[in-house]
Amino acid sequence: MQHMTDAPAAPIHLAGDSLRVLVVDDDQAIRELICQYLGGFAMVAEGAADGREMEAWLARQHFDAIVLDLMLPGENGLSLCKRLRSQSAIPILMMSARNDPTERIISLEIGADDFLSKPFDTRELVARLHSVLRRNRSQAAPALADTGHQRIRFGNWLLNSTLRQLHDPQGTVIPLSSAEFRLLSVLVQRPHTVLDRELLLDLTRGDTVDVFDRSIDILISRLRGKLRDDPRKPSLIRTVRGEGYMLDAQISAA
């Protein structure tokens, strides 16, 4: 990692107390250096060598974000990320020393908020952490609050906007990436309304531009897959040819 020994620049503060970050990496030297570096940016960082230590920390303390290495002894980072996302909405920043774009895609699809390849500039790590934290806080109560409810049922599905969780008709949590959650939230807020790609792009952008051009089509395809909505004849997210997409479902507070 670059600049690990550089003197930290001026800390970036968010409102409230110091941010608490859990760094999960089996390399003790890297883990300790990251924790030490984050300490210069108004963050309190603790380290864990594997999934068991991570769970022990989470059981006794609150954390605002988790920096999670993909390659860990025992349960790997992908499995831990998927399990974490099924239990909470805590921001997760994945990192890996393997330059494999597939790992990045899978990480984001199972619910990671961002992904960083090793070696990385620690200033970028700090910037990405603050980005996912701001995005998470700004969307903890999205426009669904217009209805006064944070648990919205559409069809037989349930969207919990507070926990950023999607529940299927049997009550099982279906992991969503940040971009998928934002897109589904927008559709649920505007049922039976045709939304064109340009509007969806504007409404689903976070602090970082992770949704662009025709990636809306890709996100729609992923959402349909998670909603078990037949892409050849979708019943929930309908395509209005030449115009955009529409959620065709009855909405109610749960």
Side-chain angles (χ1 to χ4, degrees):
M1 283 171 285
Q2 303 168 356
H3 306 297
M4 184 60 77
T5 59
D6 290 356
I12 306 171
H13 292 276
L14 295 179
D17 299 330
S18 295
L19 299 172
R20 301 192 64 86
V21 179
L22 181 59
V23 180
V24 187
D25 194 310
D26 62 326
D27 188 315
Q28 182 178 355
I30 292 178
R31 187 171 69 244
E32 292 178 350
L33 285 171
I34 292 177
C35 289
Q36 180 182 3
Y37 193 81
L38 294 181
F41 286 84
M43 300 186 194
V44 177
E46 305 289 355
D50 54 26
R52 293 182 64 181
E53 289 189 13
M54 179 193 78
E55 291 177 344
W57 273 112
L58 292 173
R60 62 178 180 263
Q61 287 193 26
H62 164 79
F63 288 92
D64 297 289
I66 296 178
V67 177
L68 180 60
D69 189 40
L70 193 148
M71 298 300 295
L72 293 171
E75 190 173 4
N76 66 33
L78 289 177
S79 176
L80 291 172
C81 176
K82 185 174 182 179
R83 184 147 52 83
L84 282 168
R85 184 54 70 235
S86 71
Q87 298 168 351
S88 77
I90 187 170
I92 302 171
L93 173 57
M94 296 288 293
M95 57 183 180
S96 175
R98 299 196 306 196
N99 188 21
D100 184 353
T102 302
E103 290 181 343
R104 172 185 173 87
I105 293 171
I106 293 175
S107 297
L108 297 174
E109 285 187 339
I110 64 175
D113 295 89
D114 206 344
F115 187 96
L116 194 57
S117 296
K118 296 178 179 179
F120 51 79
D121 188 316
T122 44
R123 293 172 296 185
E124 182 180 3
L125 170 64
V126 172
R128 286 177 180 267
L129 270 175
H130 279 93
S131 176
V132 298
L133 283 162
R134 283 194 298 267
R135 191 164 67 226
N136 181 266
R137 291 182 178 186
S138 68
Q139 293 175 13
L144 285 171
D146 293 346
T147 65
H149 301 286
Q150 280 73 49
R151 287 163 52 87
I152 302 297
R153 189 172 297 281
F154 59 102
N156 294 321
W157 294 77
L158 175 68
L159 182 66
N160 187 321
S161 63
T162 302
L163 297 179
R164 299 200 311 171
Q165 290 180 344
L166 172 66
H167 297 256
D168 72 7
Q170 289 72 45
T172 303
V173 174
I174 308 299
L176 294 176
S177 68
S178 294
E180 290 165 351
F181 170 77
R182 292 197 297 272
L183 178 56
L184 182 56
S185 296
V186 168
L187 292 170
V188 169
Q189 292 157 25
R190 299 162 178 82
H192 310 295
T193 302
V194 178
L195 305 173
D196 62 33
R197 289 185 181 86
E198 184 176 354
L199 177 60
L200 288 172
L201 285 170
D202 290 339
L203 293 174
T204 56
R205 291 184 196 275
D207 288 342
T208 56
V209 184
D210 57 355
V211 180
F212 54 92
D213 295 336
R214 296 186 64 83
S215 63
I216 285 294
D217 299 328
I218 298 173
L219 285 174
I220 288 289
S221 178
R222 291 177 183 170
L223 270 181
R224 281 174 172 163
K226 293 185 176 182
L227 292 168
R228 304 160 197 163
D229 203 16
D230 186 351
R232 294 168 297 182
K233 193 175 181 181
S235 60
L236 280 175
I237 303 177
R238 297 188 181 277
T239 301
V240 181
R241 190 174 298 277
E243 295 188 44
Y245 298 101
M246 175 183 72
L247 181 71
D248 188 9
Q250 294 299 316
I251 305 296
S252 63

